[in-house]
Coordinates of all heavy atoms in Angstrom, one line a residue:
M1 N -119.9 -39.1 3.1 CA -120.8 -40.2 3.5 C -122.2 -39.5 3.9 O -123.2 -39.9 3.4 CB -120.2 -41.0 4.6 CG -121.2 -41.9 5.3 SD -121.2 -43.5 4.5 CE -122.4 -44.3 5.5
L2 N -122.1 -38.5 4.8 CA -123.3 -37.9 5.3 C -124.0 -37.1 4.2 O -125.2 -37.1 4.1 CB -122.9 -36.9 6.4 CG -124.1 -36.1 7.0 CD1 -125.1 -37.0 7.6 CD2 -123.6 -35.1 8.0
F3 N -123.2 -36.5 3.3 CA -123.8 -35.8 2.2 C -124.6 -36.7 1.3 O -125.7 -36.4 0.8 CB -122.7 -35.1 1.4 CG -123.2 -34.3 0.2 CD1 -123.9 -33.1 0.4 CD2 -123.0 -34.8 -1.1 CE1 -124.4 -32.4 -0.7 CE2 -123.5 -34.1 -2.2 CZ -124.3 -32.9 -2.0
G4 N -124.0 -37.9 1.0 CA -124.7 -38.9 0.2 C -126.0 -39.4 0.8 O -127.0 -39.5 0.2
V5 N -126.0 -39.5 2.2 CA -127.2 -39.9 2.9 C -128.3 -38.8 2.7 O -129.5 -39.1 2.5 CB -126.9 -40.2 4.4 CG1 -128.2 -40.4 5.2 CG2 -126.0 -41.4 4.5
I6 N -127.9 -37.6 2.8 CA -128.8 -36.4 2.7 C -129.4 -36.4 1.3 O -130.6 -36.2 1.2 CB -128.1 -35.1 3.1 CG1 -127.8 -35.1 4.6 CG2 -129.0 -33.9 2.7 CD1 -126.9 -34.0 5.0
V7 N -128.6 -36.6 0.3 CA -129.1 -36.5 -1.1 C -130.1 -37.7 -1.3 O -131.1 -37.5 -1.9 CB -127.9 -36.6 -2.1 CG1 -128.4 -36.8 -3.5 CG2 -127.1 -35.4 -2.0
V8 N -129.8 -38.9 -0.8 CA -130.7 -40.0 -1.0 C -132.0 -39.8 -0.3 O -133.1 -40.0 -0.8 CB -130.0 -41.3 -0.5 CG1 -131.0 -42.5 -0.5 CG2 -128.8 -41.7 -1.5
A9 N -131.9 -39.2 1.0 CA -133.1 -38.9 1.7 C -133.9 -37.9 1.0 O -135.2 -38.0 1.0 CB -132.7 -38.5 3.1
L10 N -133.3 -36.9 0.4 CA -134.1 -35.9 -0.3 C -134.8 -36.5 -1.5 O -136.0 -36.2 -1.8 CB -133.1 -34.8 -0.7 CG -133.8 -33.6 -1.6 CD1 -134.9 -32.9 -0.8 CD2 -132.7 -32.7 -2.0
A11 N -134.1 -37.3 -2.3 CA -134.7 -38.0 -3.4 C -135.9 -38.8 -3.0 O -136.9 -38.8 -3.7 CB -133.6 -38.8 -4.2
V12 N -135.7 -39.6 -2.0 CA -136.8 -40.5 -1.5 C -138.0 -39.6 -1.0 O -139.1 -39.9 -1.3 CB -136.3 -41.4 -0.3 CG1 -137.5 -42.1 0.4 CG2 -135.3 -42.4 -0.9
H13 N -137.7 -38.5 -0.3 CA -138.8 -37.6 0.1 C -139.6 -37.0 -1.1 O -140.8 -37.0 -1.1 CB -138.2 -36.5 1.0 CG -139.2 -35.5 1.4 ND1 -140.1 -35.7 2.3 CD2 -139.4 -34.2 1.0 CE1 -140.9 -34.6 2.5 NE2 -140.5 -33.7 1.7
L14 N -138.8 -36.6 -2.1 CA -139.5 -36.0 -3.3 C -140.4 -37.1 -4.0 O -141.5 -36.8 -4.5 CB -138.4 -35.5 -4.3 CG -137.7 -34.2 -3.8 CD1 -136.6 -33.9 -4.8 CD2 -138.7 -33.1 -3.6
V15 N -139.9 -38.3 -4.1 CA -140.7 -39.4 -4.7 C -141.9 -39.7 -3.9 O -143.0 -39.9 -4.4 CB -139.8 -40.6 -5.0 CG1 -140.7 -41.8 -5.4 CG2 -138.7 -40.3 -6.0
V16 N -141.8 -39.8 -2.6 CA -142.9 -40.2 -1.7 C -144.0 -39.1 -1.6 O -145.2 -39.4 -1.8 CB -142.4 -40.6 -0.3 CG1 -143.5 -40.8 0.7 CG2 -141.5 -41.8 -0.4
V17 N -143.6 -37.9 -1.4 CA -144.6 -36.8 -1.2 C -145.0 -36.1 -2.4 O -146.1 -35.4 -2.5 CB -144.2 -35.8 -0.1 CG1 -144.0 -36.5 1.2 CG2 -143.0 -35.0 -0.5
G18 N -144.2 -36.2 -3.5 CA -144.5 -35.4 -4.7 C -143.9 -34.0 -4.7 O -143.7 -33.5 -3.6
L19 N -143.8 -33.5 -5.9 CA -143.1 -32.2 -6.0 C -143.9 -31.0 -5.4 O -143.4 -30.1 -4.8 CB -142.8 -31.9 -7.5 CG -141.7 -32.8 -8.1 CD1 -141.5 -32.4 -9.5 CD2 -140.4 -32.6 -7.3
D20 N -145.2 -31.1 -5.5 CA -146.1 -30.0 -5.0 C -146.0 -29.9 -3.5 O -145.8 -28.8 -2.9 CB -147.5 -30.2 -5.5 CG -148.4 -29.0 -5.1 OD1 -148.0 -27.9 -5.4 OD2 -149.5 -29.2 -4.6
E21 N -146.1 -31.1 -2.8 CA -146.1 -31.1 -1.4 C -144.7 -30.7 -0.9 O -144.5 -30.0 0.1 CB -146.5 -32.5 -0.9 CG -146.5 -32.6 0.7 CD -147.6 -31.7 1.3 OE1 -148.6 -31.4 0.6 OE2 -147.5 -31.3 2.4
A22 N -143.6 -31.2 -1.6 CA -142.2 -30.9 -1.2 C -142.0 -29.4 -1.3 O -141.3 -28.8 -0.5 CB -141.3 -31.7 -2.1
D23 N -142.6 -28.8 -2.4 CA -142.4 -27.3 -2.5 C -143.0 -26.6 -1.3 O -142.4 -25.6 -0.8 CB -143.1 -26.9 -3.8 CG -142.9 -25.4 -4.1 OD1 -141.8 -24.9 -4.0 OD2 -143.9 -24.7 -4.4
K24 N -144.2 -27.0 -0.9 CA -144.8 -26.4 0.3 C -144.0 -26.5 1.5 O -143.8 -25.6 2.3 CB -146.2 -26.9 0.5 CG -147.2 -26.5 -0.6 CD -148.5 -27.2 -0.4 CE -149.4 -26.9 -1.6 NZ -150.7 -27.6 -1.5
V25 N -143.5 -27.7 1.8 CA -142.6 -28.0 2.9 C -141.3 -27.1 2.9 O -140.9 -26.5 3.9 CB -142.3 -29.5 3.1 CG1 -141.3 -29.7 4.1 CG2 -143.6 -30.3 3.3
A26 N -140.7 -27.1 1.7 CA -139.5 -26.3 1.6 C -139.7 -24.8 1.8 O -138.9 -24.1 2.4 CB -138.9 -26.5 0.2
S27 N -140.9 -24.3 1.4 CA -141.2 -22.9 1.6 C -141.4 -22.6 3.1 O -140.9 -21.6 3.6 CB -142.5 -22.5 0.9 OG -142.3 -22.6 -0.5
G28 N -142.0 -23.5 3.8 CA -142.1 -23.4 5.3 C -140.8 -23.4 6.0 O -140.5 -22.6 6.9
I29 N -140.0 -24.4 5.6 CA -138.7 -24.5 6.2 C -137.8 -23.3 5.9 O -137.1 -22.7 6.8 CB -137.9 -25.8 5.7 CG1 -138.7 -27.0 6.3 CG2 -136.5 -25.8 6.1 CD1 -138.1 -28.3 5.7
S30 N -137.9 -22.7 4.7 CA -137.1 -21.5 4.4 C -137.6 -20.3 5.2 O -136.7 -19.5 5.6 CB -137.3 -21.2 2.9 OG -136.8 -22.2 2.1
A31 N -138.9 -20.2 5.4 CA -139.4 -19.1 6.3 C -138.8 -19.2 7.7 O -138.4 -18.2 8.3 CB -140.9 -19.1 6.2
V32 N -138.8 -20.4 8.3 CA -138.3 -20.6 9.6 C -136.8 -20.3 9.7 O -136.4 -19.6 10.6 CB -138.6 -22.0 10.1 CG1 -137.9 -22.3 11.4 CG2 -140.1 -22.2 10.3
V33 N -136.1 -20.8 8.7 CA -134.6 -20.5 8.7 C -134.3 -19.0 8.6 O -133.4 -18.5 9.2 CB -133.9 -21.3 7.6 CG1 -132.5 -20.9 7.4 CG2 -134.0 -22.8 7.9
A34 N -135.1 -18.3 7.7 CA -134.9 -16.9 7.6 C -135.2 -16.1 8.9 O -134.4 -15.2 9.2 CB -135.8 -16.4 6.4
L35 N -136.2 -16.5 9.6 CA -136.6 -15.9 10.9 C -135.5 -16.1 11.9 O -135.1 -15.2 12.6 CB -137.9 -16.3 11.4 CG -139.1 -15.8 10.6 CD1 -140.4 -16.5 11.1 CD2 -139.2 -14.3 10.7
V36 N -134.9 -17.3 11.9 CA -133.9 -17.6 12.9 C -132.6 -16.8 12.5 O -131.9 -16.3 13.4 CB -133.6 -19.2 12.8 CG1 -132.3 -19.5 13.6 CG2 -134.7 -19.9 13.5
A37 N -132.3 -16.7 11.2 CA -131.1 -15.9 10.8 C -131.3 -14.5 11.2 O -130.3 -13.8 11.6 CB -130.9 -16.1 9.3
V38 N -132.5 -13.9 11.0 CA -132.7 -12.5 11.4 C -132.6 -12.3 12.9 O -132.1 -11.3 13.4 CB -134.0 -12.0 10.9 CG1 -134.4 -10.7 11.4 CG2 -134.0 -12.0 9.3
G39 N -133.1 -13.3 13.7 CA -133.1 -13.1 15.1 C -131.9 -13.5 15.9 O -131.6 -13.1 17.0
T40 N -131.0 -14.3 15.2 CA -129.8 -14.8 15.9 C -128.9 -13.7 16.5 O -128.4 -13.8 17.6 CB -129.0 -15.6 14.9 OG1 -129.8 -16.8 14.5 CG2 -127.7 -16.1 15.5
P41 N -128.6 -12.6 15.8 CA -127.8 -11.5 16.4 C -128.3 -11.0 17.7 O -127.6 -10.5 18.6 CB -127.7 -10.4 15.4 CG -128.0 -11.1 14.1 CD -128.9 -12.2 14.4
Y42 N -129.6 -11.0 17.9 CA -130.2 -10.5 19.1 C -130.2 -11.5 20.3 O -130.3 -11.2 21.4 CB -131.7 -10.1 18.9 CG -131.7 -9.0 17.8 CD1 -132.2 -9.3 16.5 CD2 -131.4 -7.7 18.1 CE1 -132.2 -8.3 15.6 CE2 -131.4 -6.7 17.2 CZ -131.8 -7.0 15.9 OH -131.9 -6.1 14.9
L43 N -129.9 -12.8 19.9 CA -129.9 -13.9 20.9 C -128.4 -14.1 21.4 O -128.2 -14.7 22.5 CB -130.5 -15.1 20.4 CG -131.9 -15.0 19.9 CD1 -132.4 -16.4 19.3 CD2 -132.8 -14.7 21.1
L44 N -127.4 -13.7 20.6 CA -126.1 -14.0 21.0 C -125.5 -12.9 21.9 O -126.1 -11.8 21.9 CB -125.2 -14.0 19.7 CG -125.5 -15.1 18.8 CD1 -124.6 -15.0 17.5 CD2 -125.2 -16.5 19.4
P45 N -124.5 -13.2 22.7 CA -124.0 -12.2 23.6 C -123.3 -11.1 22.8 O -122.8 -11.3 21.7 CB -122.9 -12.9 24.5 CG -122.6 -14.1 23.7 CD -123.8 -14.5 22.9
P46 N -123.3 -9.8 23.3 CA -122.6 -8.7 22.6 C -121.1 -8.9 22.4 O -120.5 -9.6 23.3 CB -122.9 -7.5 23.4 CG -123.2 -8.0 24.8 CD -123.8 -9.4 24.6
P47 N -120.5 -8.4 21.3 CA -119.1 -8.6 21.2 C -118.3 -7.7 22.2 O -118.9 -6.8 22.8 CB -118.9 -8.0 19.7 CG -120.0 -7.1 19.5 CD -121.2 -7.7 20.3
S48 N -117.1 -8.1 22.4 CA -116.2 -7.3 23.3 C -116.0 -5.9 22.8 O -116.1 -5.7 21.6 CB -114.9 -8.1 23.5 OG -114.2 -8.2 22.3
P49 N -115.6 -5.0 23.7 CA -115.4 -3.6 23.2 C -114.4 -3.6 22.1 O -113.4 -4.2 22.1 CB -114.9 -2.9 24.5 CG -115.3 -3.7 25.6 CD -115.4 -5.1 25.1
G50 N -114.6 -2.7 21.1 CA -113.7 -2.6 20.0 C -113.9 -3.6 18.9 O -113.3 -3.5 17.9
G51 N -114.8 -4.5 19.1 CA -115.2 -5.5 18.1 C -114.2 -6.6 17.9 O -114.4 -7.5 17.2
V52 N -113.0 -6.6 18.6 CA -112.0 -7.6 18.5 C -111.9 -8.4 19.8 O -111.8 -7.8 20.9 CB -110.6 -6.9 18.2 CG1 -109.5 -8.0 18.1 CG2 -110.7 -6.1 16.9
P53 N -112.1 -9.7 19.8 CA -112.0 -10.4 21.0 C -110.7 -10.3 21.7 O -109.6 -10.4 21.0 CB -112.3 -11.9 20.6 CG -112.1 -11.9 19.1 CD -112.3 -10.5 18.6
T54 N -110.6 -10.2 23.0 CA -109.4 -10.1 23.7 C -109.0 -11.4 24.2 O -109.7 -12.1 25.0 CB -109.5 -9.1 24.9 OG1 -110.0 -7.9 24.4 CG2 -108.2 -8.9 25.6
P55 N -107.8 -12.0 23.8 CA -107.4 -13.3 24.2 C -107.0 -13.3 25.7 O -106.6 -12.2 26.2 CB -106.2 -13.6 23.4 CG -105.7 -12.3 23.0 CD -106.8 -11.4 22.9
E56 N -107.2 -14.4 26.4 CA -106.7 -14.5 27.7 C -105.2 -14.5 27.7 O -104.6 -15.0 26.9 CB -107.2 -15.8 28.3 CG -108.6 -15.9 28.8 CD -108.9 -14.9 29.9 OE1 -108.1 -14.9 30.9 OE2 -109.9 -14.2 29.9
P57 N -104.6 -13.8 28.7 CA -103.2 -13.7 28.7 C -102.5 -15.1 29.1 O -103.1 -15.8 29.9 CB -102.9 -12.7 29.8 CG -104.1 -12.6 30.7 CD -105.2 -13.0 29.8
D58 N -101.4 -15.3 28.6 CA -100.6 -16.5 29.0 C -100.0 -16.1 30.4 O -99.6 -15.0 30.6 CB -99.4 -16.7 28.1 CG -99.9 -17.2 26.7 OD1 -100.9 -17.9 26.7 OD2 -99.2 -16.9 25.7
R59 N -100.0 -17.0 31.3 CA -99.6 -16.7 32.7 C -98.5 -17.7 33.1 O -98.5 -18.8 32.8 CB -100.8 -16.9 33.6 CG -102.0 -16.0 33.4 CD -103.1 -16.4 34.4 NE -104.4 -15.8 34.0 CZ -104.7 -14.5 34.2 NH1 -104.0 -13.7 34.8 NH2 -105.9 -14.1 33.8
S60 N -97.6 -17.1 34.0 CA -96.6 -17.8 34.6 C -96.5 -17.3 36.0 O -96.3 -16.1 36.2 CB -95.3 -17.7 33.9 OG -94.3 -18.4 34.5
E61 N -96.7 -18.2 37.0 CA -96.7 -17.7 38.4 C -95.7 -18.6 39.2 O -95.5 -19.8 39.0 CB -98.1 -17.8 39.0 CG -99.1 -16.9 38.3 CD -100.4 -16.8 39.0 OE1 -100.4 -17.0 40.3 OE2 -101.4 -16.4 38.4
D62 N -95.2 -18.0 40.3 CA -94.3 -18.6 41.2 C -93.1 -19.3 40.5 O -92.8 -20.5 40.7 CB -95.0 -19.6 42.1 CG -96.0 -18.9 43.0 OD1 -95.7 -17.8 43.5 OD2 -97.1 -19.5 43.2
T63 N -92.5 -18.7 39.5 CA -91.5 -19.3 38.8 C -90.2 -19.5 39.6 O -89.9 -18.8 40.5 CB -91.1 -18.5 37.5 OG1 -90.6 -17.2 38.0 CG2 -92.2 -18.3 36.6
G64 N -89.5 -20.6 39.3 CA -88.3 -20.9 40.1 C -87.1 -20.2 39.4 O -87.2 -19.5 38.4
A65 N -85.9 -20.5 40.0 CA -84.6 -19.9 39.5 C -84.2 -20.7 38.2 O -84.4 -21.9 38.1 CB -83.6 -20.1 40.5
A66 N -83.7 -19.9 37.2 CA -83.2 -20.5 36.0 C -81.7 -20.3 35.9 O -81.2 -19.2 36.1 CB -83.9 -19.8 34.8
H67 N -81.0 -21.4 35.7 CA -79.5 -21.3 35.6 C -79.1 -21.9 34.2 O -79.5 -23.0 33.9 CB -78.9 -22.1 36.7 CG -79.3 -21.7 38.1 ND1 -78.8 -20.6 38.7 CD2 -80.2 -22.2 38.9 CE1 -79.4 -20.4 39.9 NE2 -80.3 -21.4 40.0
A68 N -78.2 -21.2 33.5 CA -77.7 -21.7 32.3 C -76.2 -21.6 32.2 O -75.7 -20.5 32.6 CB -78.4 -21.0 31.1
T69 N -75.5 -22.6 31.8 CA -74.0 -22.5 31.7 C -73.5 -23.0 30.3 O -74.2 -23.8 29.7 CB -73.3 -23.3 32.8 OG1 -73.8 -24.7 32.6 CG2 -73.7 -22.8 34.2
G70 N -72.4 -22.6 29.9 CA -71.7 -23.1 28.7 C -72.5 -22.9 27.5 O -72.6 -23.9 26.7
G71 N -73.2 -21.8 27.3 CA -74.0 -21.6 26.0 C -75.4 -22.2 26.1 O -76.1 -22.3 25.1
G72 N -75.8 -22.7 27.2 CA -77.1 -23.4 27.3 C -78.2 -22.4 27.5 O -78.0 -21.2 27.7
Q73 N -79.4 -22.9 27.5 CA -80.6 -22.0 27.7 C -81.5 -22.6 28.8 O -81.7 -23.8 28.9 CB -81.5 -21.9 26.5 CG -80.8 -21.2 25.4 CD -81.7 -21.0 24.2 OE1 -82.8 -21.4 24.1 NE2 -81.2 -20.3 23.2
A74 N -82.0 -21.8 29.7 CA -82.9 -22.2 30.8 C -84.0 -21.3 30.9 O -83.8 -20.0 30.8 CB -82.1 -22.3 32.1
N75 N -85.2 -21.8 31.0 CA -86.4 -20.9 31.0 C -87.4 -21.5 32.0 O -87.8 -22.7 31.8 CB -87.0 -20.8 29.6 CG -88.2 -19.9 29.6 OD1 -88.4 -19.1 30.5 ND2 -89.0 -20.0 28.6
T76 N -87.8 -20.7 33.0 CA -88.9 -21.2 33.8 C -90.1 -20.3 33.7 O -91.1 -20.4 34.4 CB -88.5 -21.1 35.3 OG1 -88.1 -19.8 35.7 CG2 -87.3 -22.1 35.5
G77 N -90.1 -19.3 32.7 CA -91.2 -18.4 32.5 C -92.0 -18.8 31.3 O -92.3 -20.0 31.1
L78 N -92.3 -17.9 30.4 CA -93.0 -18.1 29.2 C -92.1 -17.9 28.0 O -91.3 -17.0 27.9 CB -94.2 -17.1 29.0 CG -95.3 -17.2 30.1 CD1 -96.3 -16.1 29.9 CD2 -96.0 -18.5 29.9
Q79 N -92.1 -18.9 27.1 CA -91.3 -18.8 25.9 C -92.2 -19.0 24.7 O -92.9 -20.1 24.6 CB -90.2 -19.8 25.9 CG -89.2 -19.7 24.8 CD -88.0 -20.6 25.0 OE1 -88.2 -21.7 25.7 NE2 -86.9 -20.3 24.5
A80 N -92.3 -18.1 23.8 CA -93.2 -18.2 22.6 C -92.5 -17.6 21.4 O -91.6 -16.8 21.5 CB -94.5 -17.5 22.9
A81 N -93.0 -18.1 20.2 CA -92.4 -17.6 19.0 C -93.3 -16.6 18.3 O -94.4 -17.0 17.9 CB -92.2 -18.8 18.0
G82 N -93.0 -15.4 18.3 CA -93.7 -14.3 17.7 C -95.1 -14.1 18.1 O -96.0 -13.8 17.2
V83 N -95.5 -14.4 19.3 CA -96.9 -14.3 19.7 C -97.2 -12.9 20.1 O -96.4 -12.2 20.7 CB -97.1 -15.2 21.0 CG1 -98.5 -15.1 21.5 CG2 -96.8 -16.7 20.7
E84 N -98.3 -12.4 19.6 CA -98.8 -11.1 19.9 C -100.0 -11.1 20.8 O -101.1 -10.7 20.4 CB -99.1 -10.4 18.6 CG -97.8 -10.2 17.7 CD -98.2 -9.6 16.4 OE1 -99.3 -9.3 16.1 OE2 -97.2 -9.5 15.6
R85 N -99.9 -11.7 21.9 CA -101.0 -11.8 22.9 C -100.4 -11.4 24.3 O -99.2 -11.5 24.5 CB -101.6 -13.1 22.9 CG -100.7 -14.3 23.1 CD -101.4 -15.6 23.0 NE -102.2 -15.9 24.2 CZ -103.3 -16.6 24.2 NH1 -103.6 -17.2 23.1 NH2 -104.0 -16.8 25.3
P86 N -101.3 -11.0 25.2 CA -100.8 -10.5 26.5 C -100.2 -11.7 27.3 O -100.5 -12.8 27.1 CB -102.1 -10.0 27.2 CG -103.2 -10.5 26.4 CD -102.7 -10.9 25.0
A87 N -99.3 -11.3 28.2 CA -98.6 -12.3 29.1 C -98.5 -11.7 30.4 O -98.3 -10.4 30.6 CB -97.2 -12.6 28.5
Q88 N -98.6 -12.5 31.5 CA -98.5 -12.0 32.8 C -97.5 -12.9 33.6 O -97.6 -14.2 33.5 CB -99.8 -12.1 33.6 CG -100.8 -11.0 33.0 CD -102.1 -11.1 33.8 OE1 -102.4 -12.1 34.5 NE2 -103.0 -10.1 33.6
I89 N -96.6 -12.3 34.3 CA -95.6 -13.1 35.1 C -95.8 -12.6 36.5 O -95.9 -11.4 36.8 CB -94.2 -12.8 34.6 CG1 -94.0 -13.1 33.2 CG2 -93.2 -13.6 35.5 CD1 -94.2 -14.5 32.8
A90 N -95.9 -13.5 37.5 CA -96.0 -13.2 38.9 C -94.9 -13.8 39.7 O -94.6 -15.0 39.5 CB -97.4 -13.6 39.4
R91 N -94.3 -13.1 40.6 CA -93.3 -13.6 41.5 C -92.2 -14.4 40.8 O -91.9 -15.5 41.1 CB -93.9 -14.5 42.6 CG -94.9 -13.7 43.5 CD -95.6 -14.6 44.5 NE -96.6 -15.5 43.9 CZ -97.8 -15.2 43.5 NH1 -98.2 -14.0 43.6 NH2 -98.6 -16.1 43.0
S92 N -91.6 -13.7 39.9 CA -90.5 -14.3 39.1 C -89.3 -14.5 39.9 O -88.9 -13.7 40.7 CB -90.2 -13.3 37.9 OG -89.2 -13.9 37.1
G93 N -88.6 -15.6 39.6 CA -87.4 -16.0 40.4 C -86.2 -15.4 39.8 O -86.2 -14.6 38.9
D94 N -85.0 -15.8 40.4 CA -83.7 -15.3 39.9 C -83.3 -16.0 38.6 O -83.7 -17.1 38.4 CB -82.6 -15.5 40.9 CG -82.9 -14.7 42.2 OD1 -83.5 -13.6 42.1 OD2 -82.5 -15.1 43.3
A95 N -82.5 -15.3 37.8 CA -82.0 -16.0 36.6 C -80.4 -15.8 36.6 O -79.9 -14.7 36.9 CB -82.6 -15.3 35.3
T96 N -79.7 -16.9 36.2 CA -78.3 -16.8 36.2 C -77.8 -17.5 34.9 O -78.2 -18.6 34.6 CB -77.7 -17.6 37.4 OG1 -78.2 -17.1 38.6 CG2 -76.2 -17.5 37.4
A97 N -77.0 -16.7 34.2 CA -76.4 -17.3 32.9 C -74.9 -17.1 33.1 O -74.4 -16.1 33.4 CB -76.9 -16.5 31.7
D98 N -74.2 -18.2 32.8 CA -72.7 -18.3 33.0 C -72.1 -18.8 31.7 O -72.3 -19.9 31.3 CB -72.3 -19.2 34.2 CG -70.9 -19.2 34.4 OD1 -70.2 -18.2 34.1 OD2 -70.4 -20.2 35.0
G99 N -71.3 -18.0 31.1 CA -70.5 -18.4 29.9 C -71.1 -17.7 28.6 O -72.3 -17.3 28.6
P100 N -70.3 -17.7 27.6 CA -70.8 -17.0 26.3 C -72.0 -17.8 25.7 O -72.0 -19.0 25.6 CB -69.5 -17.1 25.4 CG -68.5 -17.8 26.1 CD -69.0 -18.2 27.5
G101 N -72.9 -17.0 25.3 CA -74.1 -17.6 24.6 C -75.1 -18.2 25.6 O -76.1 -18.7 25.1
S102 N -74.9 -18.1 26.9 CA -75.9 -18.7 27.8 C -77.1 -17.7 28.0 O -76.9 -16.5 28.0 CB -75.2 -18.9 29.2 OG -74.2 -19.8 29.1
V103 N -78.2 -18.3 28.2 CA -79.4 -17.5 28.4 C -80.3 -18.1 29.5 O -80.5 -19.3 29.5 CB -80.3 -17.5 27.1 CG1 -81.6 -16.7 27.3 CG2 -79.5 -16.9 25.9
A104 N -80.6 -17.3 30.5 CA -81.5 -17.8 31.5 C -82.7 -16.8 31.6 O -82.5 -15.6 31.6 CB -80.7 -17.8 32.9
N105 N -83.9 -17.3 31.7 CA -85.1 -16.5 31.7 C -86.1 -17.0 32.7 O -86.4 -18.2 32.7 CB -85.7 -16.4 30.3 CG -86.9 -15.7 30.2 OD1 -87.0 -14.6 30.8 ND2 -87.9 -16.2 29.5
T106 N -86.6 -16.1 33.5 CA -87.8 -16.4 34.4 C -89.0 -15.6 34.0 O -90.0 -15.6 34.8 CB -87.4 -16.2 35.9 OG1 -87.1 -14.9 36.1 CG2 -86.2 -17.1 36.3
G107 N -88.9 -14.8 33.0 CA -90.1 -14.0 32.6 C -90.6 -14.4 31.3 O -90.9 -15.6 31.0
V108 N -90.8 -13.5 30.3 CA -91.3 -13.7 29.0 C -90.2 -13.6 28.0 O -89.4 -12.7 28.0 CB -92.4 -12.7 28.6 CG1 -92.9 -12.9 27.2 CG2 -93.5 -12.7 29.6
Q109 N -90.0 -14.6 27.2 CA -89.0 -14.6 26.2 C -89.7 -14.9 24.8 O -90.3 -16.0 24.6 CB -88.0 -15.7 26.4 CG -86.8 -15.7 25.5 CD -85.8 -16.7 25.9 OE1 -86.0 -17.6 26.7 NE2 -84.6 -16.6 25.3
L110 N -89.7 -13.9 23.9 CA -90.3 -14.0 22.6 C -89.2 -14.3 21.6 O -88.1 -13.6 21.6 CB -91.0 -12.8 22.2 CG -92.2 -12.4 23.1 CD1 -92.9 -11.1 22.7 CD2 -93.2 -13.6 23.1
R111 N -89.4 -15.2 20.7 CA -88.5 -15.5 19.6 C -89.1 -15.1 18.3 O -90.3 -15.1 18.2 CB -88.1 -17.0 19.5 CG -87.5 -17.5 20.8 CD -87.4 -19.0 20.6 NE -88.6 -19.6 20.1 CZ -89.3 -20.6 20.7 NH1 -88.9 -21.1 21.7 NH2 -90.4 -21.0 20.2
R112 N -88.3 -14.9 17.3 CA -88.8 -14.6 16.0 C -89.4 -15.9 15.4 O -88.9 -17.0 15.6 CB -87.7 -14.1 15.0 CG -87.3 -12.7 15.3 CD -86.3 -12.2 14.3 NE -86.0 -10.9 14.6 CZ -85.1 -10.2 13.9 NH1 -84.5 -10.7 12.9 NH2 -84.9 -8.9 14.3
R113 N -90.5 -15.8 14.6 CA -91.0 -16.9 14.0 C -90.1 -17.4 12.9 O -89.5 -16.6 12.2 CB -92.4 -16.6 13.3 CG -93.4 -16.4 14.4 CD -94.8 -16.2 13.7 NE -95.8 -16.0 14.8 CZ -97.0 -15.7 14.6 NH1 -97.4 -15.5 13.4 NH2 -97.8 -15.5 15.6
A114 N -90.0 -18.7 12.7 CA -89.1 -19.3 11.7 C -89.7 -19.2 10.3 O -90.9 -19.1 10.1 CB -88.8 -20.7 12.0

């Protein structure tokens, strides 16, 4: 929809001002856009060290106790699938698992991606 409006506005502009005047306006706009493109890297903040942005760590604080029985799973910390980003755990609680296949976690638990 927006693209159609832009095309119609451009056609109307060309008809109203004529091709010679439109050419002059386009040249001026192109010069301004080129100057902005050249100056933009100097106006933006510098990249983080190493050139790769560092993601904020996932956080879990003051976690409670996790209890799992009879093959169940309990998690009060962080649980993620194949995430490769930093994680921080503070004041982790106790974990208790009772029975075969039971899992209790109060820290970071990473799973394989499906």
Side-chain angles (χ1 to χ4, degrees):
M1 167 92 179
L2 179 63
F3 180 72
V5 171
I6 292 171
V7 169
V8 170
L10 178 61
V12 170
H13 176 73
L14 290 174
V15 169
V16 171
V17 300
L19 291 178
D20 188 47
E21 184 66 24
D23 181 47
K24 292 176 185 174
V25 170
S27 294
I29 291 173
S30 296
V32 170
V33 169
L35 289 173
V36 169
V38 168
T40 298
Y42 300 104
L43 300 175
L44 296 176
S48 62
V52 178
T54 305
E56 282 292 316
D58 291 328
R59 298 178 195 277
S60 180
E61 297 192 23
D62 295 323
T63 60
H67 304 280
T69 59
Q73 294 185 357
N75 183 18
T76 63
L78 295 173
Q79 189 172 26
V83 177
E84 296 174 3
R85 55 183 286 151
Q88 292 180 345
I89 305 296
R91 296 176 292 281
S92 181
D94 295 331
T96 304
D98 184 26
S102 298
V103 177
N105 177 43
T106 63
V108 177
Q109 184 176 15
L110 298 177
R111 299 176 313 235
R112 289 185 178 180
R113 289 184 180 172

